[in-house]
Amino acid sequence: MNITLDYPWLLLLLVLPYFIYRFLPAYMQPSVSLYIPFFQRVVAATGQTPNAGAVAHQRQLIQSIALILFWFGLIFSLARPVLLGEVQVTEKAGRDLMIAVDLSQSMEQKDYFMAGDKQQAISRIDALKAVLSAFSKDRAGDRLGLIVFGSGAYLQVPFTDDLQLWLNLLNDMDTQMAGPATAIGDAIGLSIRAFEQSNSTQRLLLLVTDGSDTHSRLDAVDAARVAATDGINIYTLGMGDPKTEGDDKVDFASLEKIAKVSNGLSYVAADSDSLQKVLVDINNIAPANYEQQRFQPKADLYPWLMGPLLLFYVLVWGFLTIQVYWKNRARGKYVE
């Protein structure tokens, strides 16, 4: 710890009273005088030189000391003396991660099994919630966002470092929220707009779906190209069996193309185990970039300087006031 001044150049003001004293005339206060018609004869007889009818009162020593100390204290206070504490170093992740989740009706299919329980099948959306909940708990320092999409795309959570809030809104997701269709391109377009509010140097979009783009106004691959120009890497995650045919078929080829044009990667999660491994893999491939922030606490010292000086100045003023009172009383100015 050490003491320093934030505005040391203000110390130049310390010499200001000297220049005022040196170059400005003293204030002359008119004084009561006695008029006599033989003034010149008195002057000639005494040999004195007459002065103007005004006097410049002289300060007492204690007044001068009080003024000098108060002026020095005032200037040092304006220069802001501070006590510097130990430098604090904090690390903050420079990563913003947006997760876009498909909430079409096909996400209600119960074909996933949780680890250790191969008897009770759960829906795809429930499996995804469970894995993303565990995934979010390891995101300390990251900012997470959430987009849900079906027939349209909706921003459920803008980027936030309040992971508990993000988790609560994730668990509130339901397949009836966004409509029965799948609008992958619109979800990517909405994420591009969300990233406009981000200053992060590391921008990731995790796109999770179990279908094909059937309802977008914006082509998904074209949207991915625009995302790439904004520095957004898209990681696509297809849920479901790659062998599925018909309306429930996942368009893995388009997901792979979306990831490729945006410098991301494409994954297939056919069961809960592979889903968990994919999220671990994504974190290993794109680890968070941490930014160091240095902070040095400061404690102002001017209250400890000006406080005693003000008290001293008040005591001097009180002492001189009492002194003048008793002098005037002795001269008979104050009559009881």
Side-chain angles (χ1 to χ4, degrees):
M1 293 187 180
N2 60 338
I3 298 176
T4 186
L5 298 174
D6 279 356
Y7 312 109
W9 54 270
L10 286 176
L11 296 181
L12 295 174
L13 294 176
L14 288 173
V15 297
L16 182 61
Y18 169 77
F19 289 100
I20 293 176
Y21 175 79
R22 180 68 176 81
F23 297 106
L24 291 180
Y27 172 69
M28 306 295 288
Q29 180 178 346
S31 179
V32 178
S33 61
L34 178 65
Y35 176 78
I36 54 177
F38 45 88
F39 178 73
Q40 293 297 333
R41 283 184 289 170
V42 172
V43 170
T46 60
Q48 295 182 355
T49 302
N51 295 321
V55 294
H57 291 294
Q58 298 296 316
R59 297 187 185 93
Q60 295 188 33
L61 178 60
I62 192 171
Q63 286 180 288
S64 299
I65 293 174
L67 283 172
I68 293 173
L69 289 178
F70 191 80
W71 177 253
F72 273 67
L74 179 62
I75 298 304
F76 272 98
S77 296
L78 290 175
R80 196 186 177 190
V82 291
L83 180 65
L84 299 178
E86 296 294 333
V87 177
Q88 307 293 324
V89 180
T90 60
E91 288 188 342
K92 184 177 181 180
R95 176 168 64 180
D96 283 347
L97 174 60
M98 179 64 73
I99 298 179
V101 179
D102 183 356
L103 293 184
S104 59
Q105 290 182 341
S106 56
M107 291 290 285
E108 295 179 353
Q109 292 189 43
K110 295 185 177 182
D111 53 0
Y112 276 69
F113 298 90
M114 295 306 295
D117 185 3
K118 301 300 182 180
Q119 303 299 321
Q120 183 67 36
I122 62 174
S123 66
R124 296 174 179 178
I125 187 64
D126 287 339
L128 181 62
K129 285 181 180 180
V131 174
L132 286 179
S133 295
F135 179 74
S136 67
K137 293 175 182 177
D138 296 328
R139 303 277 70 74
D142 287 350
R143 294 201 312 164
L144 297 183
L146 181 63
I147 289 175
V148 297
F149 65 96
S151 300
Y154 308 94
L155 181 62
Q156 187 78 347
V157 186
F159 288 113
T160 178
D161 53 10
D162 188 343
L163 301 184
Q164 186 58 50
L165 171 64
W166 185 90
L167 186 58
N168 291 340
L169 292 173
L170 171 75
N171 291 325
D172 287 341
M173 290 191 315
D174 187 84
T175 54
Q176 306 300 320
M177 290 176 60
T182 305
I184 296 175
D186 291 350
I188 298 174
L190 183 58
S191 71
I192 294 173
R193 292 189 60 185
F195 274 109
E196 289 177 354
Q197 308 301 320
S198 169
N199 295 321
S200 173
T201 57
Q202 194 174 13
R203 304 177 173 188
L204 304 180
L205 169 62
L206 175 60
L207 178 69
V208 184
T209 183
D210 69 340
S212 303
D213 196 339
T214 59
H215 207 266
S216 285
R217 293 170 294 178
L218 178 64
D219 180 76
V221 177
D222 289 341
R225 291 192 177 96
V226 175
T229 62
D230 287 347
I232 302 171
N233 304 123
I234 303 178
Y235 290 77
T236 60
L237 176 57
M239 296 184 67
D241 189 348
K243 299 179 182 179
T244 303
E245 297 294 338
D247 293 337
D248 293 334
K249 180 180 179 181
V250 184
D251 190 356
F252 289 105
S254 293
L255 293 179
E256 186 173 352
K257 187 176 294 185
I258 290 170
K260 184 176 181 180
V261 299
S262 62
N263 301 313
L265 292 172
S266 181
Y267 295 91
V268 178
D271 53 42
S272 296
D273 291 339
S274 59
L275 180 61
Q276 177 68 46
K277 291 177 182 177
V278 166
L279 294 178
V280 173
D281 193 25
I282 289 175
N283 192 56
N284 291 335
I285 292 175
N289 292 328
Y290 286 91
E291 300 174 350
Q292 277 197 350
Q293 295 181 338
R294 299 172 64 86
F295 171 75
Q296 189 169 25
K298 295 181 179 181
D300 284 311
L301 297 179
Y302 71 86
W304 302 98
L305 178 63
M306 289 303 297
L309 288 177
L310 280 172
L311 179 61
F312 175 68
Y313 196 82
V314 169
L315 292 175
V316 170
W317 178 83
F319 169 75
L320 294 175
T321 301
I322 294 173
Q323 187 182 58
V324 170
Y325 170 79
W326 284 108
K327 282 184 178 180
N328 290 327
R329 183 182 177 89
R331 293 172 183 172
K333 188 173 183 179
Y334 296 119
V335 178
E336 296 183 358

